[in-house]
Amino acid sequence: ACGPSRLFWVEVGGRVRRLTRSELQRLQGLPDDFAWPHPGQFARLLGNSVHVPTARALAAAVGEQLFGVPTTSNLKGTVS
């Protein structure tokens, strides 16, 4: 087997299977309808990405330190 999914697997009900592209995107915090700019480079782009909720929290903390204004997250995950 070739491709990034050969490296990622999960056991379900005693059976082992590869993770799907959608599952790999969800692990990075990306929405199901996320459109990749270069779908053929999915593995490289996903491997170089940063977990979206972590990046959002880090940006909020840095903003709070720089500007002294507390930030909060709403249910959609955006920082205000």
Side-chain angles (χ1 to χ4, degrees):
C2 296
S5 64
R6 72 179 169 82
L7 303 174
F8 305 102
W9 54 271
V10 65
E11 182 180 343
V12 178
R15 299 188 64 168
V16 174
R17 68 170 179 82
R18 293 183 190 146
L19 292 173
T20 65
R21 281 186 172 207
S22 295
E23 290 169 327
L24 292 170
Q25 284 181 198
R26 289 178 196 144
L27 286 171
Q28 287 291 67
L30 298 171
D32 289 341
D33 61 350
F34 183 80
W36 290 92
H38 304 286
Q41 297 178 2
F42 170 80
R44 184 180 64 81
L45 294 171
L46 187 64
N48 289 335
S49 65
V50 177
H51 184 246
V52 175
T54 301
R56 187 175 289 124
L58 179 61
V62 168
E64 187 173 334
Q65 288 295 313
L66 289 176
F67 304 112
V69 178
T71 57
T72 58
S73 295
N74 64 22
L75 294 176
K76 293 182 180 179
T78 58
V79 175
S80 57

